[in-house]
Amino acid sequence: MKTTPFTEKHIALGAKMHEFAGYNMPIEYSGIIDEHLTVCHGVGVFDVSHMGEFWVKGPHALPFLQQVTSNNVAALVPGKAQYSCLPNEQGGIVDDLLVYHYEPEKYLLVVNASNIEKDWNWCVAHNSEGAELENASSRMAQLAVQGPKAMATLQKLTEIDLSAIPYYHFTHGAFAGEPDVIISNTGYTGAGGFELYFYPEAAMRIWDAVFRAGEEFGIKPIGLGARDTLRLEMGFCLYGNDLDDTTSPIEAGLGWITKFVEGKPFTNRAALERQKAEGVSRKLVAFEMVDRGIPRHGYTLLSAEGGAIGHVTSGTMSPLRKIGIGMGYVQTAYAKPGTEIAIDMRGRKLKAVVVKPPFRK
């Protein structure tokens, strides 16, 4: 398995380790519920160095990104980021990703760890514009420092005013004695905080500095298990569960990142534009359990009358709400919030209701 610059630290701290996207990653330390609540109420640190990073540079960078991504990259100014996806020709999604406008004619793409090779090959194959592409995934490490105490923790380590970085904005500069760290306010937990991008050789110095700074706030390392429950409580999609090569951004409720603006001939635009105008036969919805039970990926979703209407893509017991919550694709007629549905849990028909996310208010 691949490792990150922090793998030995995770093992030394007693983390439960498991393979994820080809990496040996920490799933949990003190327990998923404890770690989840630590991020909601204090501050926690995730090793997300397994994520992929591609630089896109040169005078053809913007035309290339306008062609391969769904969102309108032309709307970005340096220092701003956007959530987007790579549509495929069949109406599905190659991956969801972040696009950072680093400086004029220079962008950073942050892609899912499980899709690094797939996304890189896709970008290279579709680079008809002649943009300069660089796969920097092995030369960048990343920590996500999340929670309401994240800013107070990190502010001790930089002269950059972190309160001046709005959501989906970023900057770069000196942090914890390291000269060129990207500090990004684009967290995927809903609890606030920042992501730090830096060279792998600076990894342990930054880790140690962050944990010293957060000691007074009860800072803890957090595994991928709590990362999943946190994103699900916010109704955020996970590629491979809620999004894949067969799910369109319109079906997934991502019309807001699918921009049909003039001068943006992105992949499969015409078909997706028709979907938006004519509607789709299924939609991704959030639901919460009425009966006691935990929905799991792959379970069949039923109408109140018992007919199959879709399937669960993500599900868990909400650490904050103490009820089963989930997401899944259903026939459009059953997608309205308030609709009563049911989940087939190993032969038991348990009641649920469609709701508007997030689950955590």
Side-chain angles (χ1 to χ4, degrees):
M1 286 187 287
K2 300 176 187 176
T3 60
T4 79
F6 304 106
T7 300
E8 291 185 5
K9 172 65 76 173
H10 302 316
I11 294 170
L13 291 172
K16 181 187 291 186
M17 305 294 289
H18 198 275
E19 184 274 336
F20 180 81
Y23 286 81
N24 191 17
M25 296 297 291
I27 303 304
E28 59 181 283
Y29 292 85
S30 58
I32 290 174
I33 294 177
D34 178 68
E35 293 168 32
H36 183 111
L37 297 177
T38 293
V39 174
C40 287
H41 302 307
V43 57
V45 180
F46 302 82
D47 175 12
V48 282
S49 302
H50 59 318
M51 300 289 281
E53 294 89 11
F54 307 156
W55 289 108
V56 182
K57 297 177 277 190
H60 304 292
L62 179 58
F64 164 74
L65 292 173
Q66 288 289 70
Q67 194 272 319
V68 297
T69 71
S70 64
N71 212 332
N72 183 18
V73 185
L76 291 179
V77 295
K80 192 170 183 180
Q82 67 182 194
Y83 180 54
S84 190
C85 75
L86 302 172
N88 65 27
E89 286 94 345
Q90 291 74 43
I93 296 172
V94 178
D95 201 6
D96 62 334
L97 74 162
L98 293 176
V99 180
Y100 290 85
H101 193 172
Y102 192 77
E103 58 189 37
E105 298 187 356
K106 187 174 183 179
Y107 298 82
L108 178 67
L109 308 185
V110 180
V111 304
N112 284 299
S114 56
N115 291 335
I116 293 173
E117 183 178 2
K118 171 189 173 186
D119 292 356
W120 176 252
N121 291 338
W122 180 269
C123 287
V124 170
H126 290 78
N127 187 15
S128 58
E129 301 291 342
E132 183 183 344
L133 303 179
E134 177 190 349
N135 186 348
S137 303
S138 64
R139 298 185 296 282
M140 293 182 78
Q142 186 189 163
L143 292 177
V145 184
Q146 296 285 295
K149 298 298 184 181
M151 185 181 297
T153 296
L154 299 181
Q155 191 62 75
K156 298 178 183 182
L157 302 173
T158 183
E159 294 184 3
I160 296 166
D161 182 3
L162 300 182
S163 67
I165 305 176
Y167 195 42
Y168 270 80
H169 288 69
F170 69 99
T171 189
H172 54 95
F175 177 86
E178 303 298 329
D180 195 21
V181 175
I182 297 173
I183 306 173
S184 169
N185 184 353
T186 48
Y188 216 59
T189 65
F194 298 86
E195 292 70 51
L196 309 171
Y197 298 83
F198 42 86
Y199 293 112
E201 51 267 30
M204 287 314 307
R205 294 191 295 272
I206 288 178
W207 175 283
D208 290 341
V210 168
F211 274 84
R212 284 193 301 269
E215 187 174 1
E216 68 170 295
F217 305 118
I219 194 169
K220 293 181 181 179
I222 312 294
L224 295 183
R227 184 171 173 83
D228 189 50
T229 56
L230 286 158
R231 69 91 192 169
L232 183 49
E233 277 192 345
M234 291 304 296
F236 295 156
C237 293
L238 176 65
Y239 194 89
N241 284 44
D242 315 299
L243 309 173
D244 60 34
D245 291 297
T246 70
T247 57
S248 91
I250 307 303
E251 292 174 333
L254 298 179
W256 62 279
I257 66 165
T258 310
K259 301 294 175 59
F260 304 107
V261 297
E262 186 176 351
K264 183 175 169 59
F266 64 88
T267 304
N268 208 41
R269 170 173 172 157
L272 293 175
E273 208 161 5
R274 281 197 302 274
Q275 281 190 0
K276 190 158 189 177
E278 299 171 5
V280 290
S281 61
R282 64 173 186 169
K283 288 184 177 180
L284 182 66
V285 300
F287 61 87
E288 56 188 44
M289 298 302 300
V290 176
D291 290 336
R292 185 162 181 81
I294 304 175
R296 299 297 186 193
H297 176 83
Y299 283 4
T300 299
L301 292 170
L302 309 168
S303 68
E305 294 73 37
I309 58 171
H311 67 280
V312 177
T313 55
S314 291
T316 193
M317 175 65 72
S318 165
L320 279 181
R321 298 280 307 284
K322 308 298 185 188
I323 60 170
I325 61 172
M327 295 166 64
Y329 284 93
V330 298
Q331 297 170 17
T332 301
Y334 299 92
K336 186 176 179 180
T339 302
E340 292 184 10
I341 60 173
I343 292 90
D344 183 348
M345 294 193 186
R346 297 181 296 277
R348 293 186 302 154
K349 179 183 171 184
L350 300 183
K351 294 179 182 178
V353 62
V354 176
V355 297
K356 185 177 181 179
F359 301 98
R360 179 185 354 133
K361 306 302 180 185

